[in-house]
Amino acid sequence: MPGARDSLLDAAYTALARRPWSAVRMVDVAAAAGVSRQTLYNEFGSKEGLARALVRREADAYLAGVERALTGPADLGAGARERLTAAAEWTASAARDNVLVRALLTGSWSERLPSPTLSAVPSSAVVPAQRRADGPLPSPGDFVALVRDRAVIVLSGAGAAKSDVAEMSRTCELAVRLALSCVAAPPGEGGVAGLVRSVWQGSEGAAVWN
C-alpha cells in the first residue's frame, strides 16, 4: 500500500491530467489522496514543493526505465545493440505517454504544466525526499549525458579499450538524441529501432559489442 507521499503524488498527477496545474488546488489533492491538507503541507511545504516532487518522481521513473531497458534483456541473451535500442524505444514511449517526462526531455513546458526552475531552491523541508526534490532537477542535456554514460558503463563492460569506449559513447549519445527527435517528429517505417540500428551499423566500433 502506498504511503501518504506517494498517494499525494499520484493524486497530483491525476489532477494534472484533468486540468492545468494553475487550476489544481492543494485541498483537492489532499482529499483525493485521503489525507489532510496539513499532511500535504508537511510533506511538500507548498504547491511549488509538490510540483518539484512530482517532476522529480517522473524523472526518476524515466531513468529507472532506462536502467531496466539496458540491463533487463541481458538475462535473455540480448546483445548491446538490442539493449541500446530498447533504451531508445523506452525514451520515445515514455515521452509520448507522460507529459512531464516529455517536458523534461525536450525542455518544452506548456502553460498547462508546472514549470519548476531546474536549479536548486532553498529548502527547509524535514522530509529527506523533499530536500532531494528541492535540489537541482535534470535538464534535457543532463538526461542525454546520464543515459549515455549509463549505457556506456552497462554495454562496454570491463576491460574495453579507451578508443572502443569513446566510440560507444558517441553511438549511445546519437541513439539518445535520435530517440528525443522522435518525440517531436514521430519516425516512419522502422520506428525508433530502425534509426538506432542505422546508427549502430554506421559506428566503427559497433563490432566490438555485437
Side-chain angles (χ1 to χ4, degrees):
M1 174 178 291
R5 188 177 181 85
D6 286 336
S7 295
L8 286 162
L9 290 171
D10 289 342
Y13 187 86
T14 299
L16 179 60
R18 296 173 177 168
R19 61 185 68 91
W21 182 252
S22 61
V24 173
R25 301 193 308 163
M26 296 286 270
V27 64
D28 294 333
V29 171
V35 302
S36 69
R37 186 169 58 173
Q38 187 59 51
T39 297
L40 190 159
Y41 280 100
N42 289 344
E43 284 288 339
F44 304 103
S46 64
K47 189 176 179 181
E48 172 66 15
L50 175 62
R52 292 186 68 84
L54 183 59
V55 169
R56 167 57 68 183
R57 185 181 73 163
E58 301 311 307
D60 289 346
Y62 162 69
L63 291 172
V66 169
E67 185 74 12
R68 289 192 301 271
L70 290 172
T71 61
D75 295 336
L76 303 177
R81 183 179 69 179
E82 288 74 18
R83 286 183 276 161
L84 182 59
T85 299
E89 289 181 316
W90 162 253
T91 293
S93 65
R96 182 182 62 245
D97 298 339
N98 187 311
V99 293
L100 290 177
V101 171
R102 182 162 62 249
L104 281 162
L105 292 176
T106 64
S108 298
W109 296 84
S110 76
E111 293 180 357
R112 286 187 54 86
L113 301 178
S115 53
T117 176
L118 297 180
S119 59
V121 298
S123 179
S124 59
V126 297
V127 178
Q130 189 57 37
R131 289 200 297 273
R132 180 168 181 268
D134 289 337
L137 297 170
S139 68
D142 293 333
F143 276 113
V144 171
L146 286 167
V147 176
R148 176 201 64 207
D149 293 347
R150 183 57 184 154
V152 170
I153 290 171
V154 172
L155 302 181
S156 64
K162 288 185 178 180
S163 59
D164 291 337
V165 172
E167 182 61 29
M168 173 58 86
S169 179
R170 173 182 172 276
T171 300
C172 291
E173 179 160 342
L174 284 174
V176 176
R177 292 188 179 277
L178 276 174
L180 293 180
S181 74
C182 292
V183 174
E189 185 178 354
V192 178
L195 292 173
V196 174
R197 292 189 184 103
S198 296
V199 169
W200 188 273
Q201 291 165 357
S203 171
E204 295 178 359
V208 176
W209 295 277
N210 284 337

